[in-house]
Amino acid sequence: MPAKDLETIVSLAKRRGFVFPAAEIYGGFANTYDYGPLGVELKRNIREAWWKSMVRDRDDVVGIDAALITNPRVWVASGHVSNFNDPLVDCKKCQMRWRLDHIEEGQYGEVKRNAAGDVTCPNDGGELTEPRQFNMMFKTQVGTVADEASIAYLPPETAQGIFPNFENVVASMRRKLPFGIAQSRVSFRNEITPGKFIFRTLEFEQMEMEYFCQPPADRNNPVEYLALHQEWINTRLAWYRDTIGIDASRLRIRDHEKAELSHYSAGTADVEYLFPWGWGELEGIAARTDFDLTAHGNASGHPLTYFDEDTKQHVVPWVIEPAAGLTRTLAVAMLEAYNEELDEKGETRVVLKFKPAIAPIKVAVLPLSKNEALRPAARRVYEMVRSTYMAQYDETQSIGRRYRRQDEIGTPLCITVDFQTVGEDGTPGDDAVTIRERDSQVQVRVPISGLLEALRERLPGC
Ligand code: GAP
């Protein structure tokens, strides 16, 4: 069973070094978190798994890493300066500020209304002001003079670093349609409403891919384009299930209603996860048509087209965009991996059952006790293992407690070096170690000479 409530994960994340509230010694900072030693590994592994499936395992997708702060005209052309707004309302009684759409969606519990049928403040039922549109982009300033001309923006999505480079990638990589450009990096949004842990933060990481394809013969009936959109929806859903290890019963696809479509989208389907508070978005897969390439082509005066060798014509490709949240996926990976089991003594064993490929630590090397006689062999095993796998060496506390600690951070395998390994009282050692599997707790004895091979068998995709 996954974690039933968020508090369990928030507390484990802090206690075990996954995620800390940012600037905690100063009282924290709203909707902002830091990633600790294990969080940074988990994040890196999820990104790697995404990059492998989207770029390395495919012939038709390449990567890019565009500048964060760029020419502000990009954000005017993309529509973000005029359209990337949230409707904000203030409570006239308690002065709290809310996102109207979030109140209406019931994100703060039951939606309360006054006699006139208008929604009221989720905090105290007070009357709300008329909604005002609030742009979610953070502004910054480039150069030393603070005037209109020096304004630049922190990117609220990675996509707009990709479109302006369309021609550069086609020309330098000799790409033919269809092909994709992938990018994973940080994005920023001035989110007003309180987040739920790292579900909604000011600064977060995304994994996005723009897949460029032939424009349809009939704009109003783009049959092949919509079929491709559906293919990407299926591919991405399968990735969450098979690679991240999310149970299919807590995943679903939800098509956007017309009214909630982003300003660029002709259709979007979300991959949603059943969070402890209800269904929430993990990834949006948008049919962006030719909106962005046309907009940047028009605004820059530099048409972004593709020369079709077959028809000898320049066309503006259409785009499908699977846009995932890396940090949000990290939260889900933790929620989903969390398990509590009763051991033979009736005590609770907490285990994070991460898929090995995303587990922060793959192997822990644990001498049976902190005994001088065991250390050289244990260190030798550790040095051997760490050259291939992210490994940890731990000789403090009882072996039982060390197993529990590794279970709680999701380490798939523990290796124990004991007196049988090194020999005792004149008896020669067997130069073998014990491998303990996290989920089954089964232990097997393996010669050190065959250890890496035994680990390889048990750590698929690592
Ligand atoms: N380029 C399209 C785009 O950015 P989006 O649906 O706004 O689409 C994609 O964002 C994903 O990024 C979301 O599904 C979510 O996982 C993640 N995301 C968006 N805003 C976020 C925030 N404030 N905090 C954490 N993750 C966020």
Side-chain angles (χ1 to χ4, degrees), residues 157 189 191 199-201 204 206 208 281-282 321 323 325:
E157 62 170 23
R189 293 184 192 179
E191 301 276 6
F199 177 76
R200 193 180 298 285
T201 46
F204 54 99
Q206 290 185 307
E208 297 195 300
E281 175 185 343
L282 260 180
E321 175 197 68

Side-chain angles (χ1 to χ4, degrees), residues 84 156-159 189 191 198-206 208 210 264 270 281-284 288 321 323-328:
F84 198 57
E157 62 170 23
T158 84
R189 293 184 192 179
E191 301 276 6
I198 53 172
F199 177 76
R200 193 180 298 285
T201 46
L202 301 185
E203 184 183 324
F204 54 99
E205 290 188 54
Q206 290 185 307
E208 297 195 300
E210 308 302 324
Y264 49 74
D270 286 344
E281 175 185 343
L282 260 180
E283 168 161 348
R288 289 179 88 120
E321 175 197 68
L326 168 55
T327 39
R328 199 175 281 185

Side-chain angles (χ1 to χ4, degrees), residues 354-359 361-363 388-389 410-415 433-447 450-462:
F354 287 130
K355 288 259 190 190
I358 65 167
I361 308 290
K362 314 295 183 200
V363 182
T388 308
Y389 298 106
T411 305
L413 301 174
C414 289
I415 297 172
V433 290
T434 302
I435 298 180
R436 170 196 182 261
E437 289 184 350
R438 176 194 67 200
D439 299 351
S440 64
Q441 299 182 71
V442 166
Q443 304 197 4
V444 287
R445 196 91 188 148
V446 174
L451 182 58
L452 284 180
E453 189 51 40
L455 296 181
R456 216 177 341 267
E457 278 168 24
R458 291 167 175 80
L459 295 170
C462 296

